[in-house]
């Protein structure tokens, strides 16, 4: 528990540093942001369903890009240019995981995540596994909340090469495997859609959703120890010092 609490505070630190960074320098986007898909029609379609491969970094960044785009309208009352969109913290954090090599196969026994295959997101990376619960699930919850303007069965994510049962791939699958996480994210989007929503309460809803995603995934991937969480802490402290 102490471990988790520590994690949570590290992540809050990262999130707030990232948010601050995003609002201070509005042109500072996550890596490969411009090259990543910006609309659903950029993804392949099978039988009327968009197919997204979250084990490819740019395809996953595209998920965030679409989410940021589709939620922009609800944050417009707080600041122009989508600057105060609370979801910016997620792609910024994921971008940092990518540039710092944390999404690669940990022991370099495969090319996944290394130079020759640098967009590969390894299912053996603890960071990538945790991030799944902070990207794919929030996205599917947004779809289910009507934020994307498509029906719930129109999106499917591709499974990793192994450990398929540890993830979920579409709205109905995520509801049955991770109902608590889905519901918290849906609560966030439902509140976001209210004309009366305010920033502080939005932050609370986001925090609840973020925490449950982390708690569940940290527990579920206990067997895959992070190779260096101390480095994250150091990095975060650095970021904080630099940006605050
Ligand atoms: C598309 O739908 C048809 C009819 O439901 C089905 O037979 C086919 O297998 C589906 N194709 C794919 C790629 O899912
Ligand atoms: C969202 O994406 C559309 C299509 O790419 C674009 O025209 C629009 O300006 C974007 N909106 C925001 C707020 O980024």
């Amino acid at each position: 528990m102490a471990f988790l609490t520590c994690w949570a505070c590290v992540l809050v630190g990262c999130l707030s540093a990232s948010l601050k960074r995003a609002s201070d320098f509005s042109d500072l986007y996550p890596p490969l942001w411009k090259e990543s898909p910006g609309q659903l029609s950029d993804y392949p379609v099978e039988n009327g369903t968009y197919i997204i491969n979250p084990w490819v970094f740019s395809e996953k960044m595209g998920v965030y890009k679409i989410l940021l785009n589709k939620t922009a309208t609800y944050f417009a009352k707080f600041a122009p240019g989508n600057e105060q969109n609370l979801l910016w913290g997620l792609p910024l954090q994921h971008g940092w995981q990518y540039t710092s090599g944390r999404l690669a196969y940990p022991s370099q026994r495969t090319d996944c995540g290394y130079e020759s295959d640098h967009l590969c997101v390894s299912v053996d990376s603890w960071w990538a596994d945790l991030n799944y619960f902070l990207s794919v699930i929030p996205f599917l919850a947004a779809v289910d909340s009507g934020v994307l303007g498509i029906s719930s069965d129109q999106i499917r994510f591709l499974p990793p090469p192994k450990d398929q049962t540890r993830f979920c791939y579409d709205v109905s699958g995520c509801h049955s495997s991770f109902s608590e996480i889905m519901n918290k994210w849906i609560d966030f989007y439902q509140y976001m859609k209210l004309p009366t929503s305010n920033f502080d309460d939005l932050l609370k809803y986001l925090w609840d959703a973020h925490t449950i995603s982390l708690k569940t995934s940290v527990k579920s991937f206990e067997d895959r120890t992070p190779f260096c969480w101390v480095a994250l802490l150091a990095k975060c402290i650095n970021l904080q010092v630099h940006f605050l």
Side-chain angles (χ1 to χ4, degrees):
M1 199 60 209
F3 175 71
L4 185 62
T5 312
C6 175
W7 257 111
C9 73
V10 169
L11 280 150
V12 178
C14 264
L15 203 65
S16 63
S18 304
L19 278 173
K20 186 149 176 60
R21 198 156 58 136
S23 56
D24 285 354
F25 309 99
S26 54
D27 58 346
L28 206 69
Y29 291 103
L32 300 183
W33 189 256
K34 283 204 172 66
E35 297 88 332
S36 297
Q39 41 203 0
L40 284 171
S41 56
D42 294 336
Y43 291 99
V45 180
E46 247 177 42
N47 275 359
T49 300
Y50 296 102
I51 310 290
I52 304 178
N53 186 351
W55 308 98
V56 173
F57 180 76
S58 49
E59 291 205 25
K60 197 157 174 201
M61 238 345 149
V63 163
Y64 282 134
K65 196 167 162 182
I66 294 167
L67 188 59
L68 264 294
N69 178 286
K70 295 290 185 183
T71 51
T73 174
Y74 306 105
F75 288 90
K77 64 187 176 193
F78 303 120
N82 210 12
E83 275 186 18
Q84 289 294 323
N85 192 324
L86 284 173
L87 296 167
W88 272 119
L90 297 174
L92 285 165
Q93 193 189 15
H94 193 49
W96 166 76
Q97 290 168 345
Y98 168 76
T99 46
S100 61
R102 282 173 169 74
L103 305 177
Y105 189 92
S107 67
Q108 210 164 355
R109 260 183 293 139
T110 76
D111 286 341
C112 183
Y114 296 97
E115 264 163 46
S116 60
D117 193 8
H118 67 98
L119 291 179
C120 177
V121 173
S122 174
V123 68
D124 289 295
S125 156
W126 181 86
W127 301 89
D129 294 336
L130 258 61
N131 180 265
Y132 197 91
F133 295 79
L134 289 170
S135 57
V136 172
I137 295 186
F139 186 76
L140 288 171
V143 170
D144 204 26
S145 308
V147 171
L148 272 87
I150 54 168
S151 72
S152 293
D153 54 2
Q154 279 187 288
I155 295 270
R156 187 155 51 82
F157 285 88
L158 293 179
K162 60 172 214 186
D163 292 336
Q164 287 96 349
T165 55
R166 302 177 82 167
F167 304 93
C168 61
Y169 306 99
D170 54 22
V171 169
S172 65
C174 290
H175 269 301
S176 51
S177 307
F178 301 104
S179 59
E180 212 183 346
I181 308 182
M182 279 295 273
N183 290 338
K184 288 285 184 196
W185 281 101
I186 289 171
D187 289 347
F188 167 72
Y189 295 119
Q190 295 303 356
Y191 180 73
M192 174 191 79
K193 288 168 79 177
L194 297 176
T196 52
S197 66
N198 69 62
F199 200 77
D200 286 349
D201 286 333
L202 266 170
L203 199 56
K204 280 182 205 137
Y205 278 102
L206 179 72
W207 179 238
D208 281 350
H210 198 268
T211 325
I212 190 78
S213 295
L214 270 181
K215 259 192 203 161
T216 310
S217 53
V218 165
K219 208 165 161 203
S220 146
F221 290 92
E222 250 167 8
D223 56 318
R224 233 161 256 177
T225 23
F227 49 96
C228 188
W229 75 273
V230 178
L232 173 67
L233 187 62
K235 185 102 184 174
C236 257
I237 291 168
N238 233 322
L239 268 178
Q240 294 281 30
V241 168
H242 197 231
F243 291 104
L244 298 182

